Amino acid sequence: MRASSAVLLPHAPSSVAVARRRLGSELGASGVDESVVDDASVIVSELISNALRHARPLPSGQVRVTWTRRGDIIEIAVSDGGATTEPRRGPGTLSSLGGRGLGIVETLAEGWGVRHEDGATTVWAQLYAPRVGTEHRVTAGMLPDLIEIVDMSEPLRGADADGPGAVRVSRAYPG
């Protein structure tokens, strides 16, 4: 199954929240686990923020945000008008005010990269996103930490957690 969405947004900070809401709503409605939706929301925020901070807008004055689902993989991509430097992971430190964006993306995503096409620079990231209620499976190349192991001595976490003391965990904000 392949599903995709694309949206053109102003080259402005308000676009981050718009993209997060729309992405979260569409992924949640399609059956993606809440923890993956949380990670996807952080990734789209970082990619848009980097485009706004470091790149020119597309000729239309906008940035293009797309997300595509192919089976259990979601690709999130942000296209802009490019910059004088290539997008790369910075040496962000605890004391720096910036430079952590692509490091965060790298931590949350299965992979990320850059494409140059038709005068645009596109930074993309891919997430493993099994639908809620499907069994976890390991496929070639999948990292072992992507499999949730439930320890019943701990409080329930994730989509099954409810009630007082429940904790939602994502790889973006581990509990």
Side-chain angles (χ1 to χ4, degrees):
M1 179 180 129
R2 180 182 173 144
S4 64
S5 291
V7 62
L8 285 170
L9 297 169
H11 191 270
S14 61
S15 294
V16 175
V18 171
R20 281 179 71 109
R21 276 193 304 274
R22 183 162 172 191
L23 173 69
S25 174
E26 288 187 20
L27 292 181
S30 73
V32 174
D33 185 82
E34 288 181 57
S35 66
V36 176
V37 172
D38 291 345
D39 290 350
S41 296
V42 171
I43 288 171
V44 79
S45 295
E46 293 299 337
L47 295 181
I48 295 171
S49 295
N50 283 349
L52 298 177
R53 177 176 233 174
H54 301 292
R56 296 178 301 274
L58 294 166
S60 64
Q62 299 169 309
V63 293
R64 182 175 53 248
V65 181
T66 61
W67 47 93
T68 305
R69 182 175 193 134
R70 290 180 202 94
D72 287 346
I73 300 295
I74 296 172
E75 181 177 287
I76 301 165
V78 175
S79 301
D80 56 48
T84 56
T85 59
E86 183 76 6
R88 64 178 172 76
R89 183 174 179 227
T93 64
L94 292 175
S95 62
S96 65
L97 295 176
R100 293 184 201 89
L102 288 175
I104 292 169
V105 170
E106 188 172 283
T107 298
L108 298 177
E110 296 305 307
W112 70 275
V114 180
R115 291 188 294 261
H116 299 281
E117 52 201 8
D118 301 327
T121 298
T122 301
V123 181
W124 57 267
Q126 293 182 336
L127 282 166
Y128 176 65
R131 285 178 172 61
V132 173
T134 60
E135 288 186 34
H136 293 288
R137 58 184 183 166
V138 176
T139 56
M142 296 304 299
L143 300 175
D145 69 338
L146 295 177
I147 298 175
E148 294 176 9
I149 299 173
V150 177
D151 178 357
M152 295 313 286
S153 66
E154 295 290 321
L156 277 176
R157 299 173 185 269
D160 296 326
D162 59 0
V167 179
R168 267 180 62 202
V169 177
S170 80
R171 291 184 356 181
Y173 304 105

